[in-house]
Amino acid sequence: MSALLAIRDSLMGERGLQRWAFYIPVVFMALFFAAPVALTLVWSVFERTMFWMEPGFTLAAYENFFTSARAENYVYSMIHSAVAVVVSFVIGFPIAVFVRRRVVKAAQHRVILLFILPFMISELVRVFAMRPVLGRNGLLNTGLMELGIISEPITIILFSPIGVVIGDVISFLPFMVFAGFLAMEAVQTYIFEVCDDIGVGRARTFRDIIVPLAAPGIFAGGVFIFVNSLGVALVPTILGGPGAVNAGLIVNQAIVALDFPLAMAISAIMLLTLVVLLYVGHRLFDLTKILQPIS
Amino acid sequence: MAEPFSSTNTEPPAVEVVGLGKNYGPVKALDSVNLSIAQGGYTVLLGPSGGGKTTLLRLLGGFIRPTAGKILLHGRDVSGLPPNQRPTTMVFQSYALFPHMNVEKNVGYGLKIQKKTKTDIAASVERILSLVGLEGYNKRMPHELSGGQQQRVQLARSLVLERDILLLDEPLAALDAKLRKDMCIELKRIQEKIGITFVHVTHNQEEAMTIADRIAIIADGKIVEEGSPREIYERPQRKFTAAFVGENNLIEGKVINVNGDGLTMDAGFAELAAITKKQASVGSEIAISIRSELIRILDGNDGQAEGVQKIPATYLEEVYLGLTTMHLVRLPNGVEVAVRRISDDDADFGGTAGQEIIVGWNREDAGVHTD
Ligand SMILES: Nc1ncnc2c1ncn2[C@@H]1O[C@H](COP(=O)(O)OP(=O)(O)OP(=O)(O)O)[C@@H](O)[C@H]1O
Ligand SMILES: [Mg+2]
């Protein structure tokens, strides 16, 4: 009886509650973060059966991946994703800098929140809406033809890798704007005054000062876009075409074919890609050092 | 004051501002300021917080544009020029270094922008770092430096540009008292060595006294008074200066009598005579100031001396401050007055709380302020 009471006290007492408050995140991470990762790795080496899989150890799924066109498609998908990251940086980061530098302080956060609005629209609809814009007789082509800039409709921008990159950029650009905006917090106003004093031009300030200082944030935004471009199957499903798939779509196709170990193996490879990416980023930008407080 | 052989007569002043004004919306941060700063000296702009010091300095540096008036630097109107095309460079209050560059890169960056060669840059950086006492710190990152060292790097980054006027906005504000004093002496030494014009903003009067050749007092967007540290401290002209600098006791009243070399003021509880050359009309409101180290508690004999102004007071308390001890007394009009003495000079100086005493000062030590 007293033992039970002691347990109850330790669980419900003030210290017990504090302990629970500490463990809840741990439990949450274990359940929803570590477990799926572990299962992915384990299942990827299971034996394939007709409708599911059975315990065992085989690298057949990996072999299947590396000896088929999937590996090649995966590499292309990485390249397309990298292009999407670069395009997002070129468009999105200047927007972030602009908002930080030119919009009145009090309004900055509101302006940035505007970029959330597209997320309110179902992603399916958002990506699908690109079709009538980019299509053969779409808004873009008819517009350009009316203006006499082109005589033939451009067909390479839909159902092609370019279409996928455009879709990725439009879908995930806000990540770069947010991350860039937050990263600009590391670039204090005095920096710009010092640059004015020295006579550093705009382009030079951007290249030598702003980008290096905001690098951790830019990198974080870039990783987000890269991972989504690589993994969200929806974009190539709707805007892609022959040869314009991404890793997520390859996984989807494997699941549709009921080849679960293959789906898991590809996921594991995506995971490894991300880990390598993060490691390289960490070494490159020396995140810990750059994030040290300035004063 | 004519100095026929001095070359300063032909050189234009380093800084000359005429009718300079700056408004931030409805706030008048600076209001038709006229100021002239000679070349090659150490000038301190001293004043209370919000007085407009930073605004004036930033106008000189070209970081903000004036609402009215003009700025001449070395005789040239710089109104339309950006900071880098002015003969000025600025040391900021915050540790404004590039956080991702080491000391050497921070200092050399300006020269790199000017497309100097690598060897030239390295030589200049080396020379400047030794000038500011940071030899061997080339590879340190800003976050590996103390506050004082970071400010030295900032100084080096400005000096390496070899411009003629160095602007410093409270460069020592974030340092502790001891370090601030050392840095003051250091800054002064550097200024004397390289001979360019330093314009230094601070609200710390000890800093100003230590470092300045000339002090300009700024408050409420106006230049209140200008002079050497000694003039500002010993002979403040304006009432504001007397109240702001040093530890002056101010007694206010109305002029009741004016004669050739002085006047008499009715302070309400006593008539005080003062020596002054200033013009004050009978009936006008004035103030008499007397520094705390020049006011005394009188004993019987002392009070008989010639030229001593005596007034009755009530002893309040003594406050031991180390080197000096402050004795607080209250005048009949309720004003508290500080009397400062070297501690232990005479142990039984002072009194007991509530004791009726006489305080006094030599009339020539008091200042008269008509505005
Ligand atoms: N950007 C600004 N917008 C609006 N008002 C401002 C701005 N900068 C300064 N002011 C106002 O102008 C006045 C002078 O400011 P300034 O910064 O020049 O004072 P300061 O003498 O440097 O004070 P401190 O010793 O506190 O630095 C103050 O009343 C301040 O509130
Ligand atoms: Mg200031």
Side-chain angles (χ1 to χ4, degrees):
Chain A
M1 195 58 202
S2 65
L4 272 180
L5 279 178
I7 289 173
R8 198 201 66 184
D9 280 354
S10 77
L11 290 181
M12 305 299 291
E14 203 168 305
R15 290 209 41 215
L17 279 181
Q18 279 171 12
R19 220 171 27 229
W20 274 106
F22 173 75
Y23 281 123
I24 285 170
V26 174
V27 170
F28 187 89
M29 300 238 309
L31 211 59
F32 296 108
F33 184 77
V37 169
L39 277 181
T40 303
L41 294 177
V42 171
W43 281 342
S44 72
V45 295
F46 272 20
E47 304 271 2
R48 184 182 174 187
T49 63
M50 189 69 88
F51 297 110
W52 186 233
M53 47 196 161
E54 63 185 28
F57 183 84
T58 168
L59 295 177
Y62 289 92
E63 201 188 328
N64 184 347
F65 174 78
F66 283 110
T67 54
S68 64
R70 293 188 183 93
E72 201 183 323
N73 280 335
Y74 186 87
V75 172
Y76 279 128
S77 168
M78 294 218 306
I79 294 170
H80 300 155
S81 302
V83 173
V85 169
V86 171
V87 174
S88 299
F89 169 75
V90 169
I91 301 171
F93 188 63
I95 294 178
V97 176
F98 177 84
V99 174
R100 268 272 185 236
R101 296 282 297 140
R102 294 276 174 267
V103 176
V104 249
K105 192 116 200 147
Q108 285 181 2
H109 286 88
R110 270 169 256 173
V111 172
I112 281 297
L113 285 179
L114 282 181
F115 285 86
I116 287 188
L117 282 182
F119 283 110
M120 291 284 101
I121 305 165
S122 151
E123 185 164 16
L124 183 67
V125 176
R126 197 154 28 107
V127 176
F128 203 85
M130 282 294 101
R131 273 196 186 177
V133 176
L134 300 175
R136 173 170 251 281
N137 301 314
L139 276 176
L140 193 68
N141 273 324
T142 37
L144 288 177
M145 286 206 292
E146 302 248 314
L147 289 173
I149 295 171
I150 52 169
S151 53
E152 290 278 296
I154 313 171
T155 52
I156 193 76
I157 53 176
L158 190 60
F159 307 128
S160 66
I162 294 181
V164 174
V165 168
I166 292 175
D168 285 337
V169 169
I170 284 164
S171 297
F172 309 127
L173 183 68
F175 288 129
M176 185 55 81
V177 178
F178 291 147
F181 180 75
L182 292 179
M184 282 301 288
E185 204 130 322
V187 189
Q188 304 191 0
T189 346
Y190 70 70
I191 294 272
F192 298 101
E193 296 185 329
V194 172
C195 286
D196 286 347
D197 200 32
I198 293 177
V200 192
R202 245 154 235 255
R204 218 43 212 280
T205 306
F206 187 79
R207 196 192 78 192
D208 291 355
I209 313 290
I210 299 181
V211 169
L213 284 178
I218 295 169
F219 179 75
V223 165
F224 244 85
I225 294 172
F226 185 81
V227 166
N228 277 290
S229 301
L230 201 62
V232 174
L234 191 70
V235 180
T237 305
I238 297 176
L239 300 178
V245 296
N246 71 2
L249 191 56
I250 304 173
V251 173
N252 255 15
Q253 287 161 356
I255 290 175
V256 170
L258 299 182
D259 191 344
F260 293 101
L262 177 61
M264 293 303 161
I266 302 171
S267 302
I269 289 164
M270 289 168 75
L271 210 63
L272 184 72
T273 310
L274 180 60
V275 169
V276 170
L277 205 65
L278 285 178
Y279 180 76
V280 169
H282 183 68
R283 296 313 297 257
L284 221 57
F285 299 118
D286 205 350
L287 302 178
T288 46
K289 214 171 181 181
I290 283 183
L291 290 176
Q292 291 245 346
I294 292 154
S295 49
Chain B
M1 282 307 281
E3 284 177 290
F5 302 112
S6 163
S7 61
T8 52
N9 289 342
T10 55
E11 280 175 16
V15 175
E16 187 164 20
V17 304
V18 187
L20 194 64
K22 174 69 187 176
N23 299 350
Y24 295 108
V27 183
K28 258 193 183 163
L30 225 51
D31 187 14
S32 55
V33 163
N34 298 311
L35 177 69
S36 173
I37 296 174
Q39 286 187 30
Y42 206 124
T43 299
V44 168
L45 307 177
L46 174 66
S49 186
K53 307 181 296 293
T54 299
T55 303
L56 177 52
L57 209 64
R58 296 169 67 80
L59 283 167
L60 296 182
F63 300 100
I64 49 176
R65 303 251 165 255
T67 314
K70 65 179 180 185
I71 301 168
L72 304 174
L73 300 179
H74 291 284
R76 192 163 63 111
D77 190 340
V78 296
S79 296
L81 297 181
N84 59 313
Q85 287 173 28
R86 298 186 178 203
T88 55
T89 172
M90 181 111 154
V91 172
F92 296 85
Q93 171 172 358
S94 51
Y95 304 134
L97 298 176
F98 298 122
H100 60 305
M101 296 185 190
N102 64 21
V103 168
E104 182 178 276
K105 293 224 171 85
N106 259 291
V107 177
Y109 188 61
L111 300 178
K112 198 170 152 192
I113 292 296
Q114 293 172 6
K115 301 207 165 59
K116 294 266 163 62
T117 66
K118 275 212 166 77
T119 42
D120 283 357
I121 296 177
S124 299
V125 167
E126 219 47 56
R127 187 169 48 82
I128 296 289
L129 284 184
S130 93
L131 178 68
V132 301
L134 280 180
E135 302 103 323
Y137 283 76
N138 302 43
K139 303 294 179 200
R140 293 272 196 105
M141 296 300 286
H143 69 260
E144 295 168 337
L145 298 172
S146 73
Q149 289 166 339
Q150 290 190 45
Q151 289 306 65
R152 283 166 198 259
V153 177
Q154 240 207 110
L155 187 64
R157 185 180 59 194
S158 283
L159 291 178
V160 87
L161 300 173
E162 298 189 333
R163 299 199 183 139
D164 297 323
I165 303 169
L166 184 70
L167 309 172
L168 307 104
D169 189 5
E170 311 224 14
L172 313 178
L175 309 182
D176 64 53
K178 169 80 173 72
L179 189 57
R180 189 180 314 145
K181 205 170 267 173
D182 294 349
M183 282 290 288
C184 271
I185 294 163
E186 182 98 8
L187 276 173
K188 181 85 179 144
R189 181 188 62 81
I190 291 171
Q191 190 274 326
E192 278 165 1
K193 189 157 175 195
I194 60 179
I196 67 170
T197 311
F198 277 38
V199 183
H200 176 132
V201 154
T202 181
H203 59 249
N204 182 311
Q205 50 164 300
E206 200 183 336
E207 189 177 314
M209 293 293 162
T210 312
I211 213 166
D213 298 325
R214 285 193 79 73
I215 294 178
I217 306 273
I218 301 190
D220 275 338
K222 295 193 175 71
I223 304 277
V224 177
E225 190 168 345
E226 246 185 290
S228 69
R230 188 173 284 273
E231 284 162 354
I232 293 283
Y233 185 76
E234 293 184 358
R235 286 274 157 220
Q237 296 303 305
R238 305 277 300 271
K239 187 171 141 189
F240 177 87
T241 313
F244 184 68
V245 175
E247 191 177 59
N248 277 294
N249 296 298
L250 285 172
I251 304 168
E252 296 178 339
K254 269 200 174 74
V255 178
I256 49 172
N257 182 28
V258 183
N259 55 38
D261 53 357
L263 51 75
T264 311
M265 181 188 88
D266 180 8
F269 57 92
E271 290 178 4
L272 309 180
I275 304 166
T276 183
K277 292 202 169 60
K278 284 188 189 155
Q279 302 294 321
S281 51
V282 171
S284 63
E285 306 262 355
I286 62 160
I288 288 179
S289 70
I290 177 76
R291 287 209 310 283
S292 63
E293 69 265 32
L294 297 175
I295 190 167
R296 317 190 285 281
I297 295 174
L298 304 177
D299 59 29
N301 309 326
D302 197 1
Q304 305 310 316
E306 186 76 12
V308 174
Q309 175 67 58
K310 291 179 286 186
I311 45 176
T314 312
Y315 192 84
L316 294 177
E317 60 174 331
E318 76 170 52
V319 182
Y320 177 75
L321 297 168
L323 176 63
T324 59
T325 297
M326 195 156 77
H327 302 269
L328 289 177
V329 306
R330 182 183 291 129
L331 301 185
N333 63 353
V335 172
E336 274 186 25
V337 162
V339 180
R340 204 186 264 266
R341 298 275 296 207
I342 302 286
S343 298
D344 307 326
D345 223 12
D346 41 337
D348 49 347
F349 179 85
T352 54
Q355 188 183 344
E356 297 299 324
I357 53 168
I358 306 286
V359 295
W361 59 85
N362 297 340
R363 287 209 174 92
E364 75 240 22
D365 289 338
V368 172
H369 311 286
T370 53
D371 60 354

